[in-house]
Amino acid sequence: MNSIEKLEIAVKAADSKRGEKTVAIDVHEISLLADYFMVTQADSARQVKAIVKEIQDQEELAGVEVRRIEGRNSTSWVLLDFGDLIVHVFKTESREFYDLEKFWSEGASVDLSAWIEE
């Protein structure tokens, strides 16, 4: 499975659990870490955990193995590493504080509108 297919699964999974302000950044030309970074947020710790679980479940259902999860017990920021896709799930306040989109602003934004329910 290629990285854009993994990204689609993660975006749809986050959206199904009401992930908010989801964005993806194409970083393959500026980072050796991954092809895409995805960032989403939720207002509560419970919702952060639900989003993380749904993304992990849907990726595994598609045969994608999570390499590492950082912050699983955190209520403010969880990172899921799928190799060429890194997913960040933040509690709203933490996302504003860390501002990863600004840090990776040299990467191109990915249009997610086809994968997100309005």
Side-chain angles (χ1 to χ4, degrees):
M1 175 170 296
N2 67 39
S3 54
I4 196 74
E5 292 169 325
K6 292 178 191 177
L7 176 61
E8 179 180 0
I9 291 166
V11 168
K12 288 179 175 179
D15 189 54
S16 76
K17 294 298 179 183
R18 301 183 328 162
E20 298 175 355
K21 299 183 181 177
T22 302
V23 299
I25 304 165
D26 182 341
V27 295
H28 82 276
E29 291 187 14
I30 59 172
S31 174
L32 298 175
L33 298 174
D35 291 340
Y36 297 100
F37 283 166
M38 181 185 129
V39 181
T40 193
Q41 71 186 42
D43 289 330
S44 71
R46 184 176 181 179
Q47 192 176 0
V48 166
K49 289 183 179 191
I51 292 168
V52 167
K53 183 177 182 335
E54 184 68 8
I55 292 171
Q56 183 178 4
D57 288 351
Q58 292 304 313
E59 293 286 0
E60 288 176 350
L61 205 65
V64 179
E65 184 179 335
V66 63
R67 291 185 177 182
R68 186 176 73 224
I69 299 177
E70 299 287 334
R72 181 188 299 268
N73 297 322
S74 171
T75 59
S76 61
W77 180 8
V78 179
L79 178 148
L80 297 106
D81 179 356
F82 296 102
D84 48 6
L85 169 65
I86 306 291
V87 176
H88 303 271
V89 182
F90 283 100
K91 194 165 175 198
T92 302
E93 306 82 49
S94 296
R95 182 179 184 172
E96 292 168 3
F97 178 79
Y98 289 104
D99 198 10
L100 289 185
E101 293 95 327
K102 184 177 179 183
F103 184 76
W104 293 103
S105 63
E106 291 179 31
S109 289
V110 179
D111 181 5
L112 306 178
S113 60
W115 302 331
I116 295 177
E117 298 288 325
E118 291 298 323

